[in-house]
Amino acid sequence: MEMTKGNEKDKASMAEIPLLTPYQMGMFHLSNRIVLAPMTRQRSFGNVPQSHAALYYSQRTTKGGLLITEATGVSDTAQGYPNTPGIWRKEQIQGWKPIVKAVHEKGGIFFCQIWHAGRVSNYGFQPNGQPPISCTDKPVSSQLGQDGTKDEFSPPRRLRTDEIPRVVDDFRMAARNAIEAGFDGVEIHAANGYLIEQFMKDGVNDRTDEYGGSLENRCRFALQVVEAVANEIGADRVGMRLSPFTELMECTDSNPEALGIYMAKSLNQYGICYCHMIEQRMAIIEKLVTPHSLQPMRNAFKGTFIAAEGYNREEGNRAIASGYADLIAFGRLFLANPDLPRRFELDAPLNKYNRSTVYMPNPVLGYTDYPFLESTTD
């Protein structure tokens, strides 16, 4: 009898936590609104996912929880960082299979983020040392890397109009390969200054053909990728990540709100599963300020809407309760707290995120060694 009362109390407590309420995302029944955000970890040696990733992702899996993989290259030209995974070769598909199986065995729902870095690369990552490809031949300036050294980017080669369908097809094939590996769906990475966003934003795209100039032309490549992927694996297995307001890798736009609304509305015609939008949040006097609201994009998109960027428990609960978003993606907090949903349920203390170990190749340190809450008995 005491156990029954305890369970009823737990259920009542969870009902008061919006992040822990269930949600129907298309055909996927989610047990909570907490999403593992895609995070590059640079532990896939030779661009092949490794066995230690099975433990990493399964640690962060709850029954009915949604996880999104790190950015996963669609071709041999897609790479921009060391030891990032791909999904264009059979060896890579085979490498992903046990990782997906480990997540599914714990009841998780797993999407693979498919990605092309575009001009955010250099000769060393490209086949035969060739220039990276982009919508432009304008290079990215040197950037300060995570280890304090400078990341250098080689001048890109502007894609010819007749070459673009081949890149679209790379995304289509990557999506097919992801389903072969067992993933439940794919997220198209169109954010953070990478190839698709390079086409979309007028601060980078200086083309004069049908892929440049007007907003519609600049978004043409992105929507062709969506159409190809949706036709290949089904729109109900497709999501897209966008970041209209951020300016990563010098990828800027003169009217980011118009870009975000246009993309949100355009995605409706394909009926995809979700739109995953990154906010621009700035720390001003130690307080996060969001200068741009995602509400217009949320209103425009008819499917599941995921918001991301530096949310904590309180902010996430508020966003869900107010209808600002359907789901919240957590990156650093989920990286450092593999049992994040449980910690949110108990409002328990959180492990601190260690930035210095995020991108190191060690298969354990800063990867699978973050502690769980100690088991307790009531």
Side-chain angles (χ1 to χ4, degrees), residues 81 257 279:
Y81 303 98
E257 183 167 296
E279 299 195 62

Side-chain angles (χ1 to χ4, degrees), residues 2 14 30-31 45 60 73 90 122 145 161 179 202 204 207 259 262 302 321 339 341 343:
E2 286 299 312
M14 288 177 67
L30 306 184
S31 60
F45 311 128
R60 288 155 183 80
K90 280 290 183 183
N122 62 51
T161 306
I179 298 304
D202 60 15
V204 177
R207 302 178 74 92
L259 171 61
Y262 177 80
K302 304 305 181 187
D339 52 354
R343 289 177 189 259

Side-chain angles (χ1 to χ4, degrees), residues 160-234:
R160 300 189 313 270
T161 306
D162 65 326
E163 292 179 297
I164 293 175
R166 171 62 186 273
V167 183
V168 172
D169 199 59
D170 287 338
F171 277 90
R172 180 189 66 83
M173 284 301 301
R176 175 193 282 188
N177 292 343
I179 298 304
E180 182 181 338
F183 284 103
D184 299 292
V186 301
E187 176 177 281
I188 300 164
H189 195 354
N192 295 350
Y194 298 119
L195 181 63
I196 295 178
E197 190 173 78
Q198 290 160 28
F199 272 87
M200 290 193 295
K201 291 190 171 180
D202 60 15
V204 177
N205 188 334
D206 56 0
R207 302 178 74 92
T208 57
D209 61 6
E210 60 264 44
Y211 291 95
S214 68
L215 178 59
E216 292 78 8
N217 281 357
R218 287 183 279 114
C219 293
R220 188 183 306 278
F221 171 58
L223 296 176
Q224 287 177 340
V225 169
V226 172
E227 182 176 28
V229 169
N231 286 343
E232 182 65 37
I233 67 171

Side-chain angles (χ1 to χ4, degrees), residues 332-333 335-337 343 349-355 370-371:
R332 295 176 181 181
L333 289 186
L335 184 158
N337 297 274
R343 289 177 189 259
L350 299 175
N351 299 324
K352 290 183 178 179
Y353 158 85
N354 184 352
R355 184 172 180 173
Y370 279 104

